[in-house]
Amino acid sequence: MATGRTHRPATRSRGIPEATVARLPLYLRALTALSERSVPTVSSEELAAAAGVNSAKLRKDFSYLGSYGTRGVGYDVEYLVYQISRELGLTQDWPVAIVGIGNLGAALANYGGFASRGFRVAALIDADPAMAGTPVAGIAVQHTDDLDRIISDNGVSIGVITTPPGAAQQVCDRLVAAGVTSILNFAPTVLSVPEGVDVRKVDLSIELQILAFHEQRKAGEEAAADGRASDDDADADEAPPMRATPTGRKGPDGDMPAVMPA
């Protein structure tokens, strides 16, 4: 996913680099899958492969958590799940407000994975008066006129913006003014935020464009490979040059040459 601007320092208060923080959710996802299969321990190599990183980087990341595993045994899966969850702040309940309840906003509201990962959709907000009171995922949509009160009443510190791009900055400004300090932005636009506010940007069109680039490159490589194969086939079809080579047969004047491929 593409990342928005952040105004926090490069490292957290405990000295954990931001790059390591960005990988912790990957480790947690892989560890959670192992936990659900009742796997008690995992090696750094196995966990790194499941998370899509190299094992040396994983061991370095875990050293920031004070977890080094046991030689010949590996890492305790349940303990690592707890340790990473605690570091990410997922051992508490985070109320989230989604602003913009169109198709994407409604889909996020219906996503069942938030609760198991430490997040609770506390409020749904939309600018359309006709949406007010409409239940989505069991939560009544509220109007943006009441945004400040909604944020305050629910103790929301994380806002999700799924509005059209033209409305995103205004919504962002109102969320920040209401006390929201972390924003997940799905709108295809860059948001300007003050010091102390984190923005993470998810732009699906950019991700698709990157995939299109790779698809185009693969197609070009395949076409080039096909071209080389065609050239090889054409070379093989060409008749080899002919040269005269003695065969040992005798003629009236001695050896009789025969025409042989060069």
Side-chain angles (χ1 to χ4, degrees), residues 31 34-36 38-41 75-83:
L31 287 162
L34 292 171
S35 177
E36 290 171 350
S38 299
V39 176
T41 59
Y75 294 92
D76 183 290
V77 170
E78 292 298 332
Y79 179 67
L80 266 185
V81 168
Y82 165 74
Q83 201 173 23

Side-chain angles (χ1 to χ4, degrees), residues 101 124-126 128-144 146 149-150:
I101 314 303
L124 303 177
I125 306 171
D126 196 272
D128 184 359
M131 289 287 294
T134 302
V136 175
I139 303 172
V141 176
Q142 301 181 72
H143 195 267
T144 50
D146 300 319
R149 176 189 58 77
I150 296 166

Side-chain angles (χ1 to χ4, degrees), residues 85-101:
S85 296
R86 181 184 62 186
E87 196 63 46
L88 290 172
L90 304 182
T91 53
Q92 66 187 81
D93 182 50
W94 291 100
V96 174
I98 301 175
V99 185
I101 314 303

Side-chain angles (χ1 to χ4, degrees), residues 219-261:
E221 291 172 350
E222 290 173 0
D226 290 343
R228 289 193 297 269
S230 297
D231 290 343
D232 291 342
D233 290 343
D235 291 341
D237 290 339
E238 291 180 0
M242 308 301 287
R243 62 181 175 84
T245 303
T247 65
R249 290 189 297 144
K250 297 293 184 178
D253 299 320
D255 291 340
M256 181 180 292
V259 177
M260 298 292 290

Side-chain angles (χ1 to χ4, degrees), residues 124-187:
L124 303 177
I125 306 171
D126 196 272
D128 184 359
M131 289 287 294
T134 302
V136 175
I139 303 172
V141 176
Q142 301 181 72
H143 195 267
T144 50
D145 286 349
D146 300 319
L147 186 145
D148 291 5
R149 176 189 58 77
I150 296 166
I151 297 301
S152 177
D153 288 352
N154 291 280
V156 172
S157 59
I158 299 176
V160 179
I161 297 177
T162 52
T163 66
Q169 184 62 59
Q170 181 181 5
V171 168
C172 175
D173 293 342
R174 291 195 61 190
L175 286 172
V176 171
V180 171
T181 53
S182 294
I183 294 173
L184 181 60
N185 178 33
F186 282 87

